[in-house]
Amino acid sequence: MIKLIKGGEVYGPHYMGKMNILIVSDKIGAVKKDLSVGDDTLEIEVIDAAGKYVMPGLIDAHVHIIGGGGEGSFRTRTPEIMLSQITLGGVTTVVGCLGTDGTTRDMKGLLAKARGLEEEGISTYIYTGSYQVPVKTITGSPMDDIILIDKIIGVGEIAISDHRSSQPTVEDIAKLTAEARVGGILSGKAGIVNIHMGDGERQLDDLIEIIENTEIPTTQFLPTHINRSIKLMEKGIAYGKMGGLMDLTTSSDPDFLEEDEVKASTGLKMALDAGVPIEQITFSSDGQGSMPIFNKHREFVGLGVGKVSSLYREIKDAVLIDGVSMEDALKVATSNPARILKLKNKGSIEVRRDADLILVDQKTLSIDTVIAKGKVMVQGGQAVVKGTFEE
Ligand code: FWO
Ligand code: ZN
């Protein structure tokens, strides 16, 4: 019920120095240098954070929580995610989505899984839709889905510039984005449109055309997989410098690394060095999404599966390998997605925010403890809370 995290060095994600954190139920109750609780009859669980960094629990803004894939026919449909695959990666909030297959995977199943994961202890949201336009929804309208269904915060992942997209016109994209935007405005949500970027030549042109020719702001789009090729990474940086948001995918299966794919941690460094403001950059894992490889004739040749654990791995690599500051590396999966997706109680270590925290070893940066909504889910690097069917 009450926990005191003592002696940790806090990145909230801004560096706050040594602070003690009081957790009351599922919320952060206090963050203070010297924090002692007067009444010693109170049952307080003390967690020793000496030698640890304390950070906000990670937000993974693109996870195929009921599985995805199928691009190599039925046997390649990827498996649904289990709770500890999320928590062991330091992730305490996920946004679930559908992908290529919007037929055998549907919105009701996605919503049920999101509710299931919420019951198991983490925080979940979902995008309505899949790759396809018209958008496959629950109520029949993207706007109504966003207004009426609490967990739905936007539309996605809508595929463009990809041989698997439904080939939407610029007008199609503008109209669905207008629906998402007004749905968000009427429900206090982001109404974000998560755009799947393929490796086609048109790249971000459709989004740029909409931003230049309509009243829709750049912040309405969250284009992902920007680092899937060096060409798109460079275009993404130009898009970032005109104010666009850019989401880098952290899952890259070493066996199936596309020949010109840019590692997310490297892409982050490239974008920062090119002058893209850190606030416009996010990471997401594409967990349980398929990582299909097609040859130049667009024939399927192989398939990997995204992993949520890659999210923190790329944050760690950004710090240890690419020389990105800890604050900037953390922002891409904490305060930036929280702000962009309007997840009001998420993304930073502040009083009254949800008690989503991770403790990592200061020497190795490996994850030791994960707390979600005030409950210890991982301790000593082991999952102490498992999903319903995890042994
Ligand atoms: C990317 C999800 C892709 C699914 O282009 O979009 O296929 O439905 O599970 N994955 N299609 C992976 C690249 C970014 C490497 C998805 C996938
Ligand atoms: Zn995708």
Side-chain angles (χ1 to χ4, degrees):
M1 177 58 176
I2 300 180
K3 294 181 177 65
L4 182 57
I5 302 177
K6 278 184 83 75
E9 274 192 71
V10 179
Y11 281 93
H14 294 289
Y15 184 63
M16 300 164 73
K18 272 199 178 173
M19 304 294 266
N20 295 328
I21 299 168
L22 190 70
I23 295 174
V24 181
S25 177
D26 61 347
K27 297 289 183 190
I28 295 173
V31 183
K32 287 187 182 314
K33 275 221 172 310
D34 307 309
L35 204 161
S36 58
V37 186
D39 179 345
D40 55 9
T41 61
L42 276 175
E43 293 273 308
I44 297 177
E45 180 188 347
V46 178
I47 294 174
D48 179 11
K52 302 281 190 308
Y53 291 126
V54 185
M55 310 165 164
L58 302 182
I59 300 169
D60 193 339
H62 190 107
V63 183
H64 295 264
I65 55 176
I66 57 171
E71 287 100 335
S73 192
F74 295 103
R75 67 186 182 289
T76 63
R77 295 168 80 253
T78 65
E80 149 178 1
I81 204 159
M82 292 294 151
L83 178 72
S84 64
Q85 290 175 289
I86 297 169
T87 53
L88 285 168
V91 173
T92 51
T93 300
V94 295
V95 183
C97 63
L98 302 181
T100 310
D101 179 0
T103 298
T104 73
R105 315 287 189 174
D106 73 0
M107 282 309 301
K108 289 171 184 153
L110 185 69
L111 179 57
K113 178 67 179 178
R115 287 183 175 153
L117 285 168
E118 187 89 38
E119 288 173 1
E120 291 178 317
I122 62 164
S123 298
T124 59
Y125 301 90
I126 56 177
Y127 299 120
T128 191
S130 56
Y131 267 30
Q132 285 80 32
V133 177
V135 180
K136 300 194 171 186
T137 64
I138 290 179
T139 63
S141 134
M143 185 186 295
D144 296 358
D145 270 21
I146 293 169
I147 295 170
L148 299 173
I149 298 167
D150 291 353
K151 282 192 177 291
I152 293 181
I153 58 167
V155 174
E157 55 168 330
I158 301 295
I160 65 172
S161 188
D162 192 302
H163 63 103
R164 297 161 293 171
S165 88
S166 50
Q167 301 304 331
T169 63
V170 175
E171 192 184 1
D172 291 333
I173 301 164
K175 287 191 181 310
L176 75 87
T177 305
E179 282 227 38
R181 176 173 173 76
V182 175
I185 287 170
L186 294 174
S187 59
K189 296 176 183 172
I192 202 90
V193 179
N194 187 239
I195 296 277
H196 159 100
M197 295 309 301
D199 52 16
E201 291 306 310
R202 283 169 291 177
Q203 299 183 319
L204 291 150
D205 293 354
D206 291 358
L207 305 191
I208 293 168
E209 188 174 330
I210 292 168
I211 290 161
E212 286 173 349
N213 299 328
T214 74
E215 301 75 20
I216 293 171
T218 57
T219 48
Q220 212 65 41
F221 297 109
L222 182 57
T224 186
H225 312 323
I226 294 288
N227 56 314
R228 71 178 306 142
S229 70
I230 186 62
K231 287 193 315 293
L232 186 57
M233 188 72 226
E234 284 160 358
K235 184 76 176 183
I237 286 171
Y239 180 72
K241 295 188 78 162
M242 59 178 271
L245 303 178
M246 53 196 305
D247 185 58
L248 307 185
T249 298
T250 55
S251 285
S252 56
D253 189 322
D255 306 336
F256 288 110
L257 200 63
E258 301 228 24
E259 73 283 356
D260 61 353
E261 190 174 336
V262 177
K263 189 173 184 295
S265 65
T266 309
L268 173 58
K269 182 76 167 98
M270 281 172 68
L272 291 173
D273 287 352
V276 178
I278 183 61
E279 284 69 28
Q280 293 169 217
I281 307 169
T282 53
F283 276 8
S284 65
S285 72
D286 206 8
Q288 297 323 102
S290 62
M291 332 293 300
I293 302 295
F294 299 94
N295 63 21
K296 59 181 182 304
H297 307 296
R298 300 280 191 219
E299 289 154 345
F300 175 81
V301 294
L303 186 81
V305 185
K307 303 232 175 351
V308 168
S309 56
S310 66
L311 187 72
Y312 182 70
R313 183 200 68 207
E314 288 302 309
I315 288 172
K316 201 171 67 169
D317 285 355
V319 175
L320 297 178
I321 299 171
D322 300 271
V324 175
S325 73
M326 178 74 88
E327 293 188 2
D328 283 354
L330 277 177
K331 281 179 183 175
V332 303
T334 57
S335 52
N336 289 356
R339 185 187 68 256
I340 291 164
L341 302 176
K342 284 184 105 173
L343 308 181
K344 34 193 166 307
N345 298 319
K346 299 295 184 190
S348 59
I349 297 179
E350 290 173 62
V351 176
R352 279 185 297 285
R353 297 258 166 148
D354 291 347
D356 296 341
L357 301 160
I358 55 177
L359 277 59
V360 308
D361 181 278
Q362 289 189 1
K363 282 187 297 298
T364 62
L365 292 192
S366 58
I367 292 171
D368 179 278
T369 304
V370 178
I371 298 171
K373 296 188 283 186
K375 186 172 182 187
V376 175
M377 308 293 279
V378 171
Q379 196 143 46
Q382 305 297 319
V384 293
V385 174
K386 298 277 184 79
T388 310
F389 301 103
E390 288 186 275
E391 65 291 335

